[in-house]
Amino acid sequence: DAKTTQPPSMDCAEGRAANLPCNHSTISGNEYVYWYRQIHSQGPQYIIHGLKNNETNEMASLIITEDRKSSTLILPHATLRDTAVYYCIVSPHSGAGSYQLTFGKGTKLSVIP
Amino acid sequence: ETGVTQTPRHLVMGMTNKKSLKCEQHLGHNAMYWYKQSAKKPLELMFVYSLEERVENNSVPSRFSPECPNSSHLFLHLHTLQPEDSALYLCASSQEAGGPSEQFFGPGTRLTVL
């Protein structure tokens, strides 16, 4: 079972910021938060990951709450090409299961012109 | 392009056929993975290889047989499949078989079993 909860779908206007929430209230101290996305008919694509500090890369920003029980993925200026299913995943840093990405149902983000 | 290629992209086979899916990664990674994505179901991890050794087999039926001849190539041999095995089969690779290493996915093979 996935250890995360995400809304099934969201809409975002093109050019606006898309904020995708994820609840992971049972996260353990050694588990990272990963975000992947899957555009229709393609393989999943890595976006970003973090442990407890906020992270930013060329694709997105990841905001993790201080208690680490939830996080938000931010796409600062959504484009039509960002329409995809976004998956929030928690996985251990090392040891058993650390290579296993357990994908849930994700959030289907629709970017609207 | 993610650096992970899969062939064929589409495959239709009968239940008595034997076929193989091929995955190749051009990233110099040490770990490779097979996932299955059925319609309306989340991705399921099937097998993990680290440095050509299988480190995970997620209770996959024996009609699926993986092979990793070297760190760049991964095969999934299929025999006597069932219609419910129809799915998108995805290959992925990562630098190491362990977090927090990001996984790079191929485009997948769409398999239909008649």
Side-chain angles (χ1 to χ4, degrees):
Chain A
D1 291 334
K3 297 195 283 188
T4 61
T5 304
Q6 298 176 253
S9 63
M10 291 182 63
D11 291 339
C12 178
E14 187 178 17
R16 305 297 294 269
N19 296 283
L20 293 97
C22 180
N23 184 293
H24 32 80
S25 58
T26 61
I27 191 169
S28 300
N30 70 336
E31 290 182 317
Y32 280 68
V33 179
Y34 293 80
W35 283 84
Y36 282 74
R37 73 181 182 183
Q38 187 172 21
I39 296 170
H40 183 63
S41 298
Q42 297 182 23
Q45 177 190 22
Y46 166 84
I47 301 173
I48 199 167
H49 73 273
L51 183 62
K52 53 185 176 182
N53 297 322
N54 298 338
E55 303 287 344
T56 296
N57 64 20
E58 64 279 4
M59 289 184 68
S61 294
L62 174 60
I63 309 299
I64 302 174
T65 58
E66 194 168 339
D67 63 8
R68 302 209 323 124
K69 293 184 177 182
S70 65
S71 61
T72 301
L73 179 75
I74 301 173
L75 307 178
H77 306 285
T79 70
L80 299 179
R81 287 178 295 180
D82 292 321
T83 292
V85 179
Y86 287 77
Y87 298 98
C88 170
I89 300 162
V90 297
S91 183
H93 173 270
S94 61
S98 62
Y99 40 72
Q100 179 144 351
L101 298 177
T102 302
F103 287 79
K105 296 182 179 179
T107 295
K108 180 170 173 52
L109 175 69
S110 298
V111 180
I112 301 168
Chain B
E1 289 295 326
T2 63
V4 181
T5 58
Q6 291 187 243
T7 53
R9 295 293 309 277
H10 300 272
L11 178 62
V12 179
M13 59 186 290
M15 289 190 286
T16 58
N17 291 156
K18 290 185 180 181
K19 297 287 185 183
S20 296
L21 310 184
K22 179 182 176 182
C23 175
E24 183 173 1
Q25 57 98 357
H26 311 272
L27 302 167
H29 288 167
N30 292 323
M32 296 188 77
Y33 312 75
W34 279 117
Y35 286 85
K36 174 183 177 182
Q37 188 172 32
S38 304
K40 302 184 188 294
K41 290 177 68 176
L43 270 78
E44 303 169 72
L45 179 65
M46 300 175 73
F47 302 104
V48 182
Y49 277 81
S50 175
L51 296 171
E52 301 143 47
E53 284 193 26
R54 193 189 311 178
V55 297
E56 181 77 10
N57 177 344
N58 266 3
S59 302
V60 179
S62 59
R63 57 186 184 271
F64 296 92
S65 175
E67 178 190 2
C68 188
N70 55 62
S71 59
S72 298
H73 293 87
L74 185 65
F75 294 89
L76 187 63
H77 304 298
L78 316 171
H79 63 97
T80 59
L81 294 193
Q82 305 298 313
E84 58 265 30
D85 296 321
S86 298
L88 180 67
Y89 288 85
L90 290 156
C91 173
S93 72
S94 65
Q95 185 60 52
E96 305 294 341
S101 186
E102 64 186 88
Q103 294 185 19
F104 293 80
F105 285 80
T109 295
R110 175 71 62 185
L111 174 67
T112 303
V113 182
L114 302 176

